[in-house]
Amino acid sequence: MPLGKSLATWCQEYPLIEELVALRPLSWFNPGIAPAAEALGDVGLSQADVDAASARLARFAPYIARAFPETAGSGGIIESSLVALPHLQALLTERHDLSLDGALWLKQDSHLPISGSIKARGGIYEVLKHAEDLALAEGLLRLDDDYATLDSDAARAFFGRHKIAVGSTGNLGLSIGIISARLGFQATVHMSADARQWKKDKLRAHGVEVVEYACDYSVAVAEGRKQASADPFCHFIDDENSPDLFLGYAVAAERLKAQLAAAGIRVDAEHPLFVYLPCGVGGGPGGVAFGLKLAFGDAVHCLFAEPTHSPCMLLGVYSGLHDEVAVQDFGIDNLTAADGLAVGRPSGFVGRAMQRLIDGYYTVSDEELFRLLALLQSSEGLRLEPSALAGVPGMLQVLGEQQGYRQRLGLTPERLARATHLVWATGGSMVPETEMSAYLARGQALLQAERQ
Ligand SMILES: *Cc1c(COP(=O)(O)O)cnc(C)c1O
């Protein structure tokens, strides 16, 4: 047991650990939440850093538009759409016998161009930043150049002398591998055992080296980090500790703010916005939540969602041990079909930086992820990978909670009636058809069993 204490002692001091170990779905609303104005200072990054990341993405837009023609319509800006889920909301209302006030929406990062997951934000951003740093230092590029010139044999020959490496459960490797290979870098992805075969195949087809491990994500990251540190020409993208990845994700918030305004959705104290973010190691949801807190302050409420078999961030924040503890230390197996969330040890950077800014955490069983996958398809015609469904039950957690959370934060019935609940759909558009059919069949079978 961690820190030399028995499980019984842990459970006595931290009663939720018993529930976590029993793999029971649960929610925990953070008693340490603080006003954004105060807690944003914990992060060590600021609005100016997010603005710089946003400006960098704008500089690269002409390159992205040229290298990835599917982004030409948005001028090389990698962004996803916002859609309402009225039919799913009606279905959930009926299934859970709750009156679901407010409106349920979906942020479709599942359909982000280039790599079909939220990793097309942070992962691609960090590779672009590294490429820019190298090219500026080499005199190959000036800040006011048209970056489309990087789509040239000369630039590819230059980047080809450099390497990029990353450890991944699948999607981060996919996004970093694709953009790195397109720029000309030698890319290596260290894949954990959870990674789907099609993700490895796709990367190899792009000329990326894929190293496979029989172990979980933390081992793949540690191994990748070790190999890269021996090579001065190799940049290791460290998903457990990277401020650059984090900032790439954070840019999502200003884009969302514009989309909400365009849809006529108000966000302020009287019109709260709840955002439900599937969490693996924490960089993606942490970065997005950081941006949201900068953009909306206390009017936005962020909750992280994890599989019952991989509740690493909940465990780390709840126990205060952060990355000093892994779910496996408590005998939780970290085996889940939600491969994007199959992480046993959280990012210590994100857990500590964001611990006063995240309203709550909850867990979802794999079976429920599959049921929700089938429900979303039948109600709205939308298809996501299992990880990406974890945000869907968030609204039920908030409206059904009995921990005094809503009262504590002044979330009155009147305010909740005007609330927007946003599910962050983190991946799925690139899942092969046969794989998706199997997911849907499994979800439908589980729904059928539930009705009997
Ligand atoms: C990576 C990923 C997440 C979570 O992001 P982290 O940075 O690992 O917390 C959620 N959903 C999907 C589909 C992902 O690929």
Side-chain angles (χ1 to χ4, degrees), residues 91-177:
L91 261 179
L92 291 177
T93 304
E94 196 182 285
R95 182 167 178 245
H96 295 273
D97 199 20
L98 261 175
S99 105
L100 294 184
D101 285 338
L104 187 62
W105 288 74
L106 191 76
K107 179 66 175 156
Q108 285 187 288
D109 276 12
S110 46
H111 291 67
L112 279 174
I114 303 180
S115 71
S117 82
I118 188 171
K119 305 301 192 308
R121 298 186 184 277
I124 289 177
Y125 172 73
E126 182 159 344
V127 175
L128 295 178
K129 175 167 189 298
H130 184 60
E132 184 183 62
D133 288 346
L134 290 173
L136 289 172
E138 178 74 6
L140 197 72
L141 186 72
R142 287 193 345 216
L143 283 177
D144 55 359
D145 278 347
D146 178 348
Y147 281 28
T149 59
L150 294 177
D151 188 28
S152 65
D153 289 341
R156 278 185 287 274
F158 168 66
F159 292 131
R161 303 207 296 273
H162 296 269
K163 298 173 194 159
I164 292 197
V166 66
S168 173
T169 62
N171 286 338
L172 185 64
L174 209 53
S175 95
I176 285 173

Side-chain angles (χ1 to χ4, degrees), residues 11-224:
C11 293
Q12 210 163 20
E13 288 174 28
Y14 298 96
L16 278 188
I17 288 182
E18 189 171 353
E19 307 280 305
L20 287 176
V21 169
L23 307 175
R24 272 194 283 278
L26 60 89
S27 61
W28 176 61
F29 290 89
N30 180 7
I33 187 90
E38 189 183 312
L40 277 167
D42 299 351
V43 182
L45 296 165
S46 67
Q47 181 69 52
D49 296 309
V50 180
D51 291 345
S54 179
R56 183 169 286 112
L57 289 169
R59 288 197 292 280
F60 269 99
Y63 168 80
I64 295 289
R66 183 157 145 180
F68 301 95
E70 70 267 35
T71 66
S74 60
I77 293 295
I78 302 165
E79 198 40 73
S80 71
S81 56
L82 186 65
V83 292
L85 300 177
H87 307 293
L88 180 68
Q89 185 171 352
L91 261 179
L92 291 177
T93 304
E94 196 182 285
R95 182 167 178 245
H96 295 273
D97 199 20
L98 261 175
S99 105
L100 294 184
D101 285 338
L104 187 62
W105 288 74
L106 191 76
K107 179 66 175 156
Q108 285 187 288
D109 276 12
S110 46
H111 291 67
L112 279 174
I114 303 180
S115 71
S117 82
I118 188 171
K119 305 301 192 308
R121 298 186 184 277
I124 289 177
Y125 172 73
E126 182 159 344
V127 175
L128 295 178
K129 175 167 189 298
H130 184 60
E132 184 183 62
D133 288 346
L134 290 173
L136 289 172
E138 178 74 6
L140 197 72
L141 186 72
R142 287 193 345 216
L143 283 177
D144 55 359
D145 278 347
D146 178 348
Y147 281 28
T149 59
L150 294 177
D151 188 28
S152 65
D153 289 341
R156 278 185 287 274
F158 168 66
F159 292 131
R161 303 207 296 273
H162 296 269
K163 298 173 194 159
I164 292 197
V166 66
S168 173
T169 62
N171 286 338
L172 185 64
L174 209 53
S175 95
I176 285 173
I178 291 172
I179 185 73
S180 299
R182 188 69 181 78
L183 279 159
F185 287 107
Q186 301 174 51
T188 303
V189 176
H190 299 266
M191 285 283 205
S192 64
D194 333 271
R196 313 294 307 166
Q197 189 60 42
W198 68 266
K199 293 180 184 175
K200 301 179 206 172
D201 294 343
K202 203 175 180 80
L203 277 174
R204 289 191 171 117
H206 278 86
V208 174
E209 185 190 358
V210 177
V211 186
E212 299 181 58
Y213 294 86
C215 311
D216 87 341
Y217 166 83
S218 307
V219 175
V221 172
E223 201 46 49

Side-chain angles (χ1 to χ4, degrees), residues 205-420:
H206 278 86
V208 174
E209 185 190 358
V210 177
V211 186
E212 299 181 58
Y213 294 86
C215 311
D216 87 341
Y217 166 83
S218 307
V219 175
V221 172
E223 201 46 49
R225 189 189 286 129
K226 194 169 89 193
Q227 289 183 22
S229 69
D231 183 347
F233 283 91
C234 186
H235 178 74
F236 182 69
I237 295 189
D238 196 332
D239 198 14
E240 289 177 336
N241 298 295
S242 170
D244 286 330
L245 268 178
F246 189 81
L247 289 170
Y249 291 119
V251 172
E254 64 182 40
R255 313 252 184 93
L256 176 69
K257 191 170 188 172
Q259 290 179 326
L260 288 168
I265 298 171
R266 286 174 64 178
V267 180
D268 54 37
E270 297 305 320
H271 303 78
L273 171 64
F274 293 87
V275 182
Y276 307 106
L277 294 148
C279 179
V281 72
V288 170
F290 174 58
L292 289 169
K293 281 290 177 185
L294 285 170
F296 299 108
D298 298 324
V300 68
H301 301 274
C302 300
L303 279 84
F304 284 5
E306 295 177 294
T308 49
H309 286 253
S310 308
C312 69
M313 189 60 80
L314 200 173
L315 179 65
V317 177
Y318 172 67
S319 67
L321 291 172
H322 299 291
D323 55 348
E324 290 162 41
V325 71
V327 299
Q328 292 95 333
D329 294 336
F330 287 95
I332 302 171
D333 62 12
N334 190 31
L335 295 177
T336 168
D339 46 288
L341 312 180
V343 177
R345 187 184 300 278
S347 160
F349 156 59
V350 172
R352 291 186 183 91
M354 299 298 293
Q355 63 184 333
R356 297 199 294 159
L357 291 164
I358 304 304
D359 280 31
Y361 305 78
Y362 62 89
T363 59
V364 191
S365 72
D366 276 27
E367 291 73 22
E368 184 66 359
L369 293 177
F370 281 108
R371 286 188 206 102
L372 294 170
L373 192 149
L375 281 177
L376 182 66
Q377 147 71 24
S378 63
S379 59
E380 305 282 352
L382 295 171
R383 297 172 168 209
L384 305 179
E385 63 185 272
S387 297
L389 278 304
V392 173
M395 183 175 189
L396 302 163
Q397 304 291 336
V398 166
L399 296 175
E401 65 88 22
Q402 297 182 350
Q403 299 174 35
Y405 157 70
R406 283 168 301 170
Q407 193 180 11
R408 195 153 45 80
L409 271 72
L411 295 164
T412 60
E414 295 72 31
R415 287 174 174 154
L416 288 168
R418 295 185 291 257
T420 301

